Amino acid sequence: VDDTYAIAPQDHALLYNRAAGFFFHLGNFSLLLFTTVLGSGLNLLTHSFLAAAAALPSDAKNLVCGGFSAVVFSIAFIKSMHIRRVPTEPKHERMFFVAYVTQFVAILAVVFITARMCFTTDMDDGFLALLMRNEIEMLAFLVFF
Protein backbone atom coordinates (compact mmCIF):
# COMPACT_ATOMS: atom_id res chain seq x y z
CA VAL A 1 0.00 0.00 0.00
CA ASP A 2 1.50 3.29 -1.06
CA ASP A 3 0.12 5.99 1.21
CA THR A 4 2.96 8.45 0.64
CA TYR A 5 0.68 11.02 -0.91
CA ALA A 6 -2.13 10.52 1.64
CA ILE A 7 -0.10 11.63 4.67
CA ALA A 8 0.43 15.34 5.11
CA PRO A 9 3.08 16.72 7.45
CA GLN A 10 0.31 18.61 9.26
CA ASP A 11 -1.17 15.29 10.41
CA HIS A 12 1.67 14.54 12.80
CA ALA A 13 0.62 14.40 16.46
CA LEU A 14 3.62 16.43 17.62
CA LEU A 15 2.16 19.54 16.02
CA TYR A 16 -1.14 19.31 17.91
CA ASN A 17 -0.35 17.76 21.27
CA ARG A 18 2.35 18.93 23.69
CA ALA A 19 2.19 15.65 25.64
CA ALA A 20 2.97 13.71 22.46
CA GLY A 21 5.96 15.97 21.85
CA PHE A 22 7.15 15.45 25.42
CA PHE A 23 6.90 11.67 25.15
CA PHE A 24 8.61 11.72 21.75
CA HIS A 25 11.57 13.65 23.15
CA LEU A 26 11.58 11.46 26.27
CA GLY A 27 11.79 8.42 23.99
CA ASN A 28 14.72 9.94 22.10
CA PHE A 29 16.50 10.74 25.37
CA SER A 30 15.94 7.21 26.68
CA LEU A 31 17.26 5.79 23.40
CA LEU A 32 20.43 7.86 23.81
CA LEU A 33 20.82 6.82 27.46
CA PHE A 34 20.21 3.12 26.85
CA THR A 35 22.52 3.07 23.83
CA THR A 36 25.23 4.44 26.13
CA VAL A 37 24.51 1.68 28.66
CA LEU A 38 24.67 -0.94 25.90
CA GLY A 39 27.96 0.50 24.65
CA SER A 40 29.54 0.51 28.10
CA GLY A 41 28.52 -3.12 28.60
CA LEU A 42 30.01 -4.09 25.25
CA ASN A 43 33.18 -2.23 26.20
CA LEU A 44 33.47 -4.23 29.43
CA LEU A 45 32.81 -7.49 27.57
CA THR A 46 35.50 -6.67 25.02
CA HIS A 47 38.06 -5.93 27.72
CA SER A 48 37.28 -9.08 29.68
CA PHE A 49 37.38 -11.21 26.49
CA LEU A 50 40.67 -9.74 25.21
CA ALA A 51 42.32 -9.92 28.62
CA ALA A 52 41.17 -13.55 29.00
CA ALA A 53 40.21 -12.68 32.53
CA ALA A 54 36.86 -12.31 34.17
CA ALA A 55 37.05 -8.58 34.90
CA LEU A 56 33.35 -8.00 35.55
CA PRO A 57 31.67 -10.76 33.54
CA SER A 58 28.22 -10.84 35.11
CA ASP A 59 27.93 -7.05 35.39
CA ALA A 60 29.02 -6.58 31.80
CA LYS A 61 26.57 -9.23 30.59
CA ASN A 62 23.76 -7.59 32.56
CA LEU A 63 24.62 -4.18 31.08
CA VAL A 64 24.61 -5.61 27.56
CA CYS A 65 21.34 -7.52 27.91
CA GLY A 66 19.57 -4.76 29.82
CA GLY A 67 20.84 -2.09 27.45
CA PHE A 68 19.82 -4.12 24.41
CA SER A 69 16.36 -4.71 25.83
CA ALA A 70 15.92 -1.02 26.67
CA VAL A 71 17.20 0.11 23.26
CA VAL A 72 14.75 -2.14 21.42
CA PHE A 73 11.91 -0.95 23.65
CA SER A 74 12.87 2.73 23.12
CA ILE A 75 12.95 2.29 19.35
CA ALA A 76 9.53 0.61 19.45
CA PHE A 77 8.18 3.43 21.64
CA ILE A 78 9.45 6.08 19.23
CA LYS A 79 8.03 4.17 16.24
CA SER A 80 4.64 3.97 17.96
CA MET A 81 4.51 7.78 18.06
CA HIS A 82 4.28 8.01 14.26
CA ILE A 83 0.82 8.09 12.77
CA ARG A 84 -0.06 5.71 9.98
CA ARG A 85 -3.46 5.82 8.41
CA VAL A 86 -5.43 2.60 8.28
CA PRO A 87 -6.22 1.70 4.65
CA THR A 88 -9.87 1.84 3.65
CA GLU A 89 -9.87 -1.26 1.46
CA PRO A 90 -10.76 -4.32 3.63
CA LYS A 91 -8.00 -6.57 2.25
CA HIS A 92 -5.33 -3.91 2.84
CA GLU A 93 -6.82 -3.13 6.25
CA ARG A 94 -6.40 -6.78 7.34
CA MET A 95 -2.82 -6.85 6.06
CA PHE A 96 -2.14 -3.60 7.92
CA PHE A 97 -3.43 -4.97 11.24
CA VAL A 98 -1.68 -8.34 10.81
CA ALA A 99 1.63 -6.58 10.09
CA TYR A 100 1.38 -4.24 13.07
CA VAL A 101 0.22 -6.96 15.49
CA THR A 102 3.03 -9.27 14.33
CA GLN A 103 5.58 -6.49 14.78
CA PHE A 104 4.22 -5.65 18.25
CA VAL A 105 4.31 -9.29 19.41
CA ALA A 106 7.83 -9.83 18.05
CA ILE A 107 9.17 -6.69 19.76
CA LEU A 108 7.55 -7.65 23.05
CA ALA A 109 9.08 -11.13 22.81
CA VAL A 110 12.57 -9.73 22.14
CA VAL A 111 12.28 -7.21 24.99
CA PHE A 112 10.95 -9.83 27.41
CA ILE A 113 13.59 -12.45 26.60
CA THR A 114 16.52 -10.03 26.75
CA ALA A 115 15.21 -8.43 29.95
CA ARG A 116 14.93 -11.90 31.50
CA MET A 117 18.51 -12.54 30.43
CA CYS A 118 19.50 -9.35 32.25
CA PHE A 119 17.91 -10.50 35.51
CA THR A 120 19.12 -14.11 35.28
CA THR A 121 21.78 -14.93 37.85
CA ASP A 122 24.69 -17.31 37.36
CA MET A 123 23.12 -19.76 39.82
CA ASP A 124 19.88 -20.17 37.84
CA ASP A 125 19.33 -23.19 35.65
CA GLY A 126 17.59 -23.00 32.33
CA PHE A 127 18.01 -21.90 28.77
CA LEU A 128 18.62 -18.20 29.50
CA ALA A 129 21.27 -18.99 32.12
CA LEU A 130 22.96 -21.24 29.56
CA LEU A 131 23.11 -18.33 27.10
CA MET A 132 24.58 -16.02 29.75
CA ARG A 133 27.41 -18.40 30.64
CA ASN A 134 29.66 -17.39 27.73
CA GLU A 135 30.09 -13.90 26.22
CA ILE A 136 30.28 -15.15 22.65
CA GLU A 137 27.09 -17.24 22.96
CA MET A 138 25.25 -14.31 24.49
CA LEU A 139 26.37 -11.88 21.79
CA ALA A 140 25.49 -14.38 19.04
CA PHE A 141 22.02 -14.76 20.53
CA LEU A 142 21.54 -10.97 20.70
CA VAL A 143 22.76 -10.61 17.12
CA PHE A 144 20.14 -13.19 16.11
CA PHE A 145 17.47 -10.80 17.40
Side-chain angles (χ1 to χ4, degrees):
V1 177
D2 184 21
D3 60 354
T4 310
Y5 301 107
I7 297 176
Q10 295 83 9
D11 290 342
H12 205 280
L14 298 179
L15 297 175
Y16 294 107
N17 192 345
R18 288 184 187 266
F22 171 76
F23 285 117
F24 183 74
H25 291 298
L26 183 69
N28 284 327
F29 173 74
S30 67
L31 179 61
L32 176 67
L33 177 69
F34 297 137
T35 304
T36 305
V37 170
L38 176 64
S40 65
L42 287 172
N43 188 22
L44 286 173
L45 274 181
T46 303
H47 285 299
S48 68
F49 180 73
L50 291 177
L56 290 171
S58 61
D59 293 338
K61 292 175 191 174
N62 288 342
L63 278 175
V64 170
C65 290
F68 184 82
S69 177
V71 164
V72 170
F73 183 75
S74 297
I75 291 171
F77 179 73
I78 291 169
K79 277 183 74 174
S80 73
M81 301 289 289
H82 295 286
I83 294 177
R84 298 300 269 169
R85 292 191 181 174
V86 178
T88 55
E89 188 177 331
K91 181 180 177 184
H92 292 173
E93 182 180 7
R94 275 187 306 238
M95 288 182 356
F96 176 84
F97 284 126
V98 166
Y100 271 87
V101 167
T102 304
Q103 179 183 6
F104 179 73
V105 169
I107 286 174
L108 279 183
V110 168
V111 168
F112 177 74
I113 290 171
T114 53
R116 285 287 307 240
M117 286 174 69
C118 174
F119 295 116
T120 300
T121 62
D122 291 334
M123 303 301 237
D124 290 342
D125 289 332
F127 182 67
L128 296 178
L130 179 67
L131 291 175
M132 292 288 288
R133 193 172 300 157
N134 187 353
E135 291 95 355
I136 300 302
E137 290 175 4
M138 183 195 65
L139 289 175
F141 185 72
L142 292 179
V143 167
F144 172 72
F145 279 135

